[in-house]
Amino acid sequence: MNAPDRFENFLLAEGEKKITETVITSMSNTSDFLLKKEDHTLGNLLAEHLKQAPHVMFAAYKVGHPNVPEVLLRIQTDGTTTPREALLNACKQLVAKYGHLGREFQKELALRQYADQGEQGANGH
């Protein structure tokens, strides 16, 4: 079979960079970021979060081909901040947000397991 090994869709090759930036000189304060080994999940999350940022004028992504795990993310800012800084801030905010979500989930799961143990003890099981 000619299909590539599945790990090739998410593991970087030796010396391969995760993100590369290309400054778009024909548009002010605009950069394209190529994210290797990623898909719509991260592309959409970043683009939508960037659109909420006050100094981001434009944010969009595309996946060139479904079999190629690369996302192209274009960001344009108003010049108050650079596209790179906007992307970095978005990543930091999302890591903090989803880290908090993960901690809250773990807390609720532990409470649920504790409650289930209490119910089983009360029922004599």
Side-chain angles (χ1 to χ4, degrees), residues 97-111:
K97 182 184 229 178
Y98 288 106
H100 176 72
L101 178 65
R103 289 186 296 278
E104 289 298 313
F105 177 81
Q106 291 297 330
K107 193 180 343 177
E108 290 296 321
L109 179 62
L111 287 172

Side-chain angles (χ1 to χ4, degrees), residues 49-62:
H49 191 77
L50 282 160
K51 289 175 189 175
Q52 307 294 320
H55 301 293
V56 173
M57 297 172 57
F58 177 83
Y61 81 98
K62 71 176 182 178

Side-chain angles (χ1 to χ4, degrees), residues 38-56:
E38 294 298 344
D39 61 12
H40 288 284
T41 304
L42 187 63
N44 188 46
L45 180 67
L46 286 171
E48 292 304 313
H49 191 77
L50 282 160
K51 289 175 189 175
Q52 307 294 320
H55 301 293
V56 173

Side-chain angles (χ1 to χ4, degrees), residues 74-115:
R74 179 167 286 182
I75 303 169
Q76 183 177 26
T77 65
D78 62 6
T80 306
T81 186
T82 67
R84 180 186 292 203
E85 290 167 340
L87 179 58
L88 186 59
N89 288 335
C91 289
K92 287 178 181 178
Q93 291 168 1
L94 287 167
V95 166
K97 182 184 229 178
Y98 288 106
H100 176 72
L101 178 65
R103 289 186 296 278
E104 289 298 313
F105 177 81
Q106 291 297 330
K107 193 180 343 177
E108 290 296 321
L109 179 62
L111 287 172
R112 181 65 182 171
Q113 289 171 339
Y114 183 71

